[in-house]
Amino acid sequence: MVKQKLVLRFPSSLVEQPVIYNLIKNFDLMVNILRADINPKKEGRLMMELSGDESNFRRALEWLQKKGLEVMQLKQQIIWQEDRCTHCGACSVICPSGALVLNRPEMTIRFMEEKCVVCELCLRACPARAMETLLDSAI
Ligand code: SF4
Ligand code: SF4
């Protein structure tokens, strides 16, 4: 049994292909979509958790790469650059999982990575660019 978080980048020619359907039907994998930015006629990006039998998982990765998708492993979900953080609290308001919390009365941010679901909302909300996604190289 394998469980991995991946990011798939689709060239515009493949954006409308039923990739998820095929991962489930042909490779018997479970797909949990964490985030999707897919626009017709533009490059797409899909962040997902994929789980299932190891050989099916490997075959699915080969299939994705042969189709022309770039497959990246989400090695470490989100990192908090504490030295850049101004503790403004904007991320704690938007974080859906409670991974970013504003401690009171100190008014300092605490990041609990184990609660993070990699939605990336904090990346856009942070004016100091203190939140980052760390991706491994293509697999
Ligand atoms: S990526 Fe989403 S869940 Fe994780 S810390 Fe940022 S807002 Fe919270
Ligand atoms: S939004 Fe950015 S600067 Fe503000 S508290 Fe969150 S991580 Fe720190």
Side-chain angles (χ1 to χ4, degrees):
M1 177 80 174
V2 166
K3 192 178 203 181
Q4 274 192 23
K5 287 178 179 157
L6 302 173
V7 176
L8 307 185
R9 287 187 206 279
F10 297 65
S12 55
S13 57
L14 296 178
V15 159
E16 292 178 15
Q17 296 279 317
V19 168
I20 302 301
Y21 172 80
N22 281 299
L23 288 175
I24 297 167
K25 184 169 180 289
N26 297 338
F27 300 100
D28 197 24
L29 295 173
M30 282 178 59
V31 179
N32 180 19
I33 295 175
L34 303 170
R35 184 180 161 84
D37 293 309
I38 299 193
N39 299 306
K41 300 194 174 77
K42 285 189 182 168
E43 189 185 84
R45 185 165 174 266
L46 194 61
M47 192 177 292
M48 63 167 78
E49 188 173 67
L50 217 53
S51 54
D53 174 79
E54 187 162 358
S55 66
N56 287 346
F57 181 81
R58 292 286 150 212
R59 285 195 309 114
L61 289 188
E62 283 173 22
W63 175 77
L64 288 166
Q65 287 165 334
K66 273 188 194 155
K67 277 192 84 65
L69 278 81
E70 188 183 351
V71 184
M72 311 276 287
Q73 187 177 6
L74 201 58
K75 197 174 185 181
Q76 186 178 344
Q77 296 92 335
I78 295 287
I79 52 171
W80 175 46
Q81 303 280 5
E82 189 171 358
D83 56 332
R84 287 191 209 156
C85 178
T86 59
H87 301 277
C88 69
C91 56
S92 65
V93 177
I94 208 164
C95 178
S97 68
L100 285 158
V101 173
L102 189 62
N103 290 326
R104 296 173 194 271
E106 302 89 344
M107 302 301 279
T108 54
I109 279 289
R110 181 172 167 221
F111 177 47
M112 289 164 279
E113 190 184 331
E114 67 281 4
K115 291 189 178 179
C116 176
V117 296
V118 199
C119 68
E120 291 193 332
L121 290 175
C122 56
L123 271 69
R124 280 178 263 162
C126 178
R129 297 184 183 274
M131 305 304 296
E132 292 181 353
T133 307
L134 189 63
L135 297 177
D136 197 5
S137 55
I139 52 177

